[in-house]
Amino acid sequence: MKIFCSRANPTTGSVEWLEEDEHYDYHQEIARSSYADMLHDKDRNVKYYQGIRAAVSRVKDRGQKALVLDIGTGTGLLSMMAVTAGADFCYAIEVFKPMADAAVKIVEKNGFSDKIKVINKHSTEVTVGPEGDMPCRANILVTELFDTELIGEGALPSYEHAHRHLVEENCEAVPHRATVYAQLVESGRMWSWNKLFPIHVQTSLGEQVIVPPVDVESCPGAPSVCDIQLNQVSPADFTVLSDVLPMFSIDFSKQVSSSAACHSRRFEPLTSGRAQVVLSWWDIEMDPEGKIKCTMAPFWAHSDPEEMQWRDHWMQCVYFLPQEEPVVQGSALYLVAHHDDYCVWYSLQRTSPEKNERVRQMRPVCDCQAHLLWNRPRFGEINDQDRTDRYVQALRTVLKPDSVCLCVSDGSLLSVLAHHLGVEQVFTVESSAASHKLLRKIFKANHLEDKINIIEKRPELLTNEDLQGRKVSLLLGEPFFTTSLLPWHNLYFWYVRTAVDQHLGPGAMVMPQAASLHAVVVEFRDLWRIRSPCGDCEGFDVHIMDDMIKRALDFRESREAEPHPLWEYPCRSLSEPWQILTFDFQQPVPLQPLCAEGTVELRRPGQSHAAVLWMEYHLTPECTLSTGLLEPADPEGGCCWNPHCKQAVYFFSPAPDPRALLGGPRTVSYAVEFHPDTGDIIMEFR
């Protein structure tokens, strides 16, 4: 059966109705899931298997039947491990129906249907009793309910309910225990992801400084965790202020509480500095003795950095303190970890939490609008002074004292740059109430509320009256729009330029003047795993899961490129970067498609995993900003990516010929089309 789905087109700005398969959302969930990454996580799988074997043995040694409750079974892998280890029966809970159906098939294919019952429910809906889903309580609890923050997927409420209703008292649990660790650091780079810094603008009248509003400076920021591949942050980008501190542990074999709590650790700063950021991770111990451990520690805190397991489903956390605090070497402080049922956050206290009534504070919530409008990479982009200087340099070449400037980008400060560079009249269009409110505060903090005109409406709806009867001589954009996911979605600027054509005066300039789409073929060090078939996992056949993911990837949107921040995912370029398409912003969007096809030579040996695509914006003929590669690859093919932007990754399928590893002349063919009616870029690589 087909259904109609509405979709806001991020490139054209229009709302479209598309005919989709009734299981469209399921396929999207599966295609973008981390199932393959988890199945490739050898360290995780081996440790779980060891822990399950040990738990089953302990129960058997007591002369009891081993009855396993597996919450969040996914493929059924952990349940099959339990039966292989000697469990008498397993109840495998999976709430996501397509996944539960796959688990049934995988369990049957591996010959365990007589000892594993897959239950398609949320664990809190499972019943126990003669007529229930389980005839009696289980005595072994096996779960994998964790995310990068440990508790962000609802682990605490699920454990709390399971202990009360589904498992025996003092049951065995795999994992047995989890411990959360934290380390206090000073980091200008990471702090720039959460606070708006003063922005310096060099003008003919001297330096002007754009200052943040007071409430933006004092705002604690967004409550959500910033999860990243911390191993890719250079040690030069932060200064360690504390030892690694074990903040709290959870014993999963006993009753767990999802109530809010806080845990403090006294420490003496290793050096003086500004406390800004808390780096955090966790480990899980699969057995009561703590001999079987799986850790998310970054390389500098890892017991064996050379044997670290790469994984993307569990990373590390960056938390921002509400405000930066000066710390003095050797002067004792208290780091406090707070959590509720789903979130963790941190605060720094100068006195013992037992003596400080403020310690049980509520989860931080943004009340300044900035953290609702700008995500962390966007904060970093706005705070990038070099980037600002390039816009200023480009603006100087196109601005005149009598210019009438219209700025079109979400929550952009380009209008302030234009004003400080002497533009007579500046208009900025903000289509959302949040961006309108934020910019009004920024203008007020800089005494510009009567100097820059904010228009709160979609730019396509601009009227002569909005522009006070003036014709625009400079249409200006970064471009940046909050609805953009893939690099070319910001071509919405081109559609806006077309829609406001009637408001442009004779000889009007558009900046950027043009954009171009670029690509390079790469070999990933690790990211390839998230799209690689698994086949067998620890001796169990999971081909059904591979086939399920492949079918999901055959759906239209699943076949598109995926956005990834490639500064976190090292790769080597196998080809030279090449330009695919150009988009002339000086002219309206054309009526006919733009097409390009050709062949690119792979000049370095290696496994060609994907093509990476990005946009470059040509502010002027002399000034270009790249959202992808920032400099040529090094001799080995190492890439330096723009850290503020996500690049588009088009994974090759089927997997490249293994003979590619042998080197020699190789090529990749491509065909790319830009469809102006839909704003879609359709691509194929062979």
Side-chain angles (χ1 to χ4, degrees):
M1 186 176 77
K2 298 289 185 178
I3 59 173
F4 283 100
C5 298
S6 66
R7 183 185 74 162
N9 188 310
T11 308
T12 65
S14 62
V15 175
E16 303 168 343
W17 286 90
L18 304 172
E19 189 180 58
E20 301 286 4
D21 184 273
E22 63 178 319
H23 300 306
Y24 165 76
D25 286 342
Y26 286 169
H27 287 290
Q28 289 294 292
E29 179 76 18
I30 294 164
R32 299 289 185 253
S33 71
S34 297
Y35 289 119
D37 181 31
M38 288 188 284
L39 292 174
H40 281 291
D41 189 340
K42 181 75 174 176
D43 179 61
R44 163 193 177 271
N45 299 337
V46 168
K47 301 292 175 56
Y48 260 101
Y49 210 167
Q50 291 173 347
I52 289 169
R53 285 196 190 101
V56 171
S57 294
R58 289 193 296 273
V59 170
K60 292 286 190 178
D61 288 347
R62 295 196 291 265
Q64 301 173 351
K65 284 189 174 183
L67 303 177
V68 176
L69 174 64
D70 174 10
I71 300 179
T73 194
T75 59
L77 176 66
L78 302 185
S79 288
M80 293 189 293
M81 289 179 176
V83 171
T84 303
D88 294 279
F89 204 84
C90 292
Y91 301 93
I93 315 301
E94 177 55 53
V95 69
F96 185 40
K97 189 175 189 308
M99 198 68 250
D101 293 343
V104 170
K105 295 175 183 176
I106 292 170
V107 166
E108 181 179 5
K109 187 174 182 65
N110 284 273
F112 296 114
S113 295
D114 60 331
K115 290 201 171 185
I116 298 175
K117 178 183 179 182
V118 178
I119 302 171
N120 179 208
K121 288 184 176 181
H122 193 283
S123 64
T124 56
E125 299 172 343
V126 172
T127 56
V128 176
E131 304 300 321
D133 299 304
M134 301 165 55
C136 62
R137 291 184 178 229
N139 53 14
I140 301 176
L141 177 57
V142 176
T143 63
E144 206 279 56
L145 300 171
F146 314 119
D147 66 348
T148 293
E149 199 173 18
L150 184 69
I151 65 172
E153 291 184 358
L156 294 183
S158 296
Y159 271 109
E160 185 174 45
H161 177 272
H163 276 286
R164 286 178 177 169
H165 302 286
L166 304 178
V167 296
E168 295 178 359
E169 187 176 358
N170 296 320
C171 69
E172 299 289 342
V174 182
H176 181 84
R177 181 186 303 106
T179 301
V180 173
Y181 299 88
Q183 189 166 36
L184 188 67
V185 303
E186 175 182 340
S187 173
R189 179 186 178 187
M190 287 185 269
W191 193 238
S192 76
W193 301 342
N194 189 59
K195 296 291 183 180
L196 179 60
F197 294 173
I199 298 169
H200 301 266
V201 184
Q202 301 299 328
T203 75
S204 59
L205 301 177
E207 183 179 83
Q208 300 287 335
V209 181
I210 306 171
V211 299
V214 172
D215 67 336
V216 174
E217 283 191 296
S218 61
C219 181
S224 58
V225 65
C226 177
D227 53 340
I228 65 171
Q229 294 283 357
L230 198 52
N231 289 311
Q232 299 309 313
V233 177
S234 168
D237 283 333
F238 61 93
T239 300
V240 170
L241 300 178
S242 78
D243 291 321
V244 175
L245 306 172
M247 296 305 301
F248 63 93
S249 294
I250 303 171
D251 186 338
F252 296 125
S253 69
K254 296 182 171 61
Q255 181 63 56
V256 172
S257 173
S258 63
S259 300
C262 64
H263 312 268
S264 67
R265 287 292 178 268
R266 183 183 183 276
F267 72 98
E268 294 183 359
L270 302 175
T271 186
S272 298
R274 295 173 299 161
Q276 298 168 325
V277 171
V278 176
L279 309 180
S280 183
W281 56 90
W282 48 263
D283 63 32
I284 45 178
E285 296 171 353
M286 301 297 183
D287 61 323
E289 296 77 25
K291 295 178 180 179
I292 309 168
K293 182 181 292 188
C294 185
T295 181
M296 307 308 120
F299 68 86
W300 67 86
H302 202 283
S303 59
D304 190 359
E306 297 301 319
E307 296 298 321
M308 285 184 61
Q309 169 76 51
W310 183 88
R311 48 175 66 95
D312 204 46
H313 59 107
W314 295 330
M315 295 185 278
Q316 294 82 33
C317 302
V318 174
Y319 296 95
F320 304 97
L321 293 178
Q323 296 297 322
E324 69 177 16
E325 305 255 3
V327 299
V328 178
Q329 181 178 4
S331 182
L333 295 167
Y334 295 85
L335 184 63
V336 185
H338 312 257
H339 73 78
D340 54 20
D341 48 351
Y342 282 90
C343 291
V344 178
W345 64 97
Y346 286 86
S347 66
L348 195 62
Q349 307 289 339
R350 298 193 176 275
T351 58
S352 170
E354 287 74 22
K355 301 176 182 178
N356 190 344
E357 295 181 358
R358 292 190 306 113
V359 75
R360 291 188 178 274
Q361 58 184 266
M362 299 295 291
R363 183 197 307 181
V365 175
C366 170
D367 55 13
C368 76
Q369 303 293 317
H371 302 88
L372 304 179
L373 182 65
W374 299 331
N375 58 21
R376 272 84 183 225
R378 178 61 172 164
F379 264 98
E381 188 171 57
I382 291 174
N383 285 324
D384 187 336
Q385 186 65 50
D386 289 340
R387 179 176 180 272
T388 297
D389 292 343
R390 299 184 73 182
Y391 277 104
V392 169
Q393 177 187 356
L395 278 168
R396 282 201 188 102
T397 67
V398 297
L399 289 178
K400 299 175 182 177
D402 61 349
S403 292
V404 176
C405 180
L406 174 62
C407 298
V408 182
S409 280
D410 289 347
S412 174
L413 300 183
L414 287 185
S415 58
V416 184
L417 301 187
H419 169 77
H420 282 320
L421 291 172
V423 172
E424 176 188 338
Q425 193 160 15
V426 183
F427 298 91
T428 185
V429 180
E430 297 297 337
S431 56
S432 78
S435 59
H436 181 271
K437 183 176 180 180
L438 174 62
L439 282 195
R440 192 166 291 283
K441 286 194 293 189
I442 292 174
F443 294 166
K444 185 175 181 180
N446 290 275
H447 311 292
L448 300 174
E449 59 265 51
D450 59 344
K451 306 286 178 56
I452 301 175
N453 301 281
I454 309 180
I455 304 169
E456 186 182 354
K457 60 167 55 176
R458 292 189 63 82
E460 303 96 314
L461 304 178
L462 278 177
T463 65
N464 238 3
E465 291 73 24
D466 294 325
L467 298 172
Q468 301 173 13
R470 305 292 300 271
K471 287 292 185 181
V472 173
S473 57
L474 174 63
L475 179 63
L476 180 61
E478 299 190 32
F480 171 85
F481 301 99
T482 55
T483 54
S484 298
L485 296 176
L486 294 168
W488 47 87
H489 287 167
N490 283 321
L491 286 175
Y492 174 54
F493 177 75
W494 201 10
Y495 288 82
V496 170
R497 178 259 177 269
T498 304
V500 303
D501 190 64
Q502 61 182 313
H503 300 300
L504 302 182
M509 297 286 293
V510 179
M511 195 180 98
Q513 296 179 3
S516 49
L517 177 66
H518 296 251
V520 66
V521 176
V522 302
E523 174 187 53
F524 284 112
R525 191 173 74 190
D526 298 298
L527 189 62
W528 60 270
R529 301 173 195 271
I530 70 172
R531 290 290 167 265
S532 178
C534 186
D536 289 337
C537 183
E538 301 307 312
F540 302 100
D541 185 345
V542 294
H543 281 89
I544 290 170
M545 186 69 218
D546 293 336
D547 295 340
M548 184 179 179
I549 294 174
K550 184 178 184 301
R551 287 194 302 274
L553 288 168
D554 284 339
F555 271 62
R556 176 182 52 80
E557 287 198 359
S558 303
R559 289 198 304 270
E560 294 178 353
E562 304 174 18
H564 290 282
L566 291 189
W567 72 268
E568 295 185 54
Y569 302 101
C571 62
R572 295 173 54 246
S573 64
L574 302 185
S575 72
E576 295 301 317
W578 77 97
Q579 181 175 296
I580 300 176
L581 292 173
T582 58
F583 312 92
D584 184 2
F585 294 165
Q586 291 291 118
Q587 302 298 322
V589 175
L591 298 177
Q592 300 302 317
L594 301 179
C595 306
E597 60 181 31
T599 301
V600 61
E601 180 183 351
L602 304 186
R603 299 189 174 185
R604 296 183 181 90
Q607 186 83 32
S608 50
H609 292 133
V612 176
L613 300 99
W614 68 94
M615 298 291 288
E616 294 189 0
Y617 294 103
H618 310 288
L619 306 184
T620 66
E622 295 77 29
C623 185
T624 295
L625 287 179
S626 172
T627 66
L629 284 176
L630 296 181
E631 57 190 45
D634 64 30
E636 287 74 39
C639 299
C640 177
W641 299 102
N642 187 324
H644 310 311
C645 304
K646 289 185 178 181
Q647 292 73 40
V649 179
Y650 187 99
F651 287 100
F652 295 149
S653 181
D657 190 330
R659 289 174 296 178
L661 292 171
L662 301 177
R666 296 163 295 142
T667 59
V668 169
S669 300
Y670 64 91
V672 179
E673 289 188 13
F674 168 71
H675 294 267
D677 54 338
T678 63
D680 290 336
I681 290 184
I682 308 299
M683 61 191 72
E684 183 179 2
F685 291 86
R686 299 183 296 277

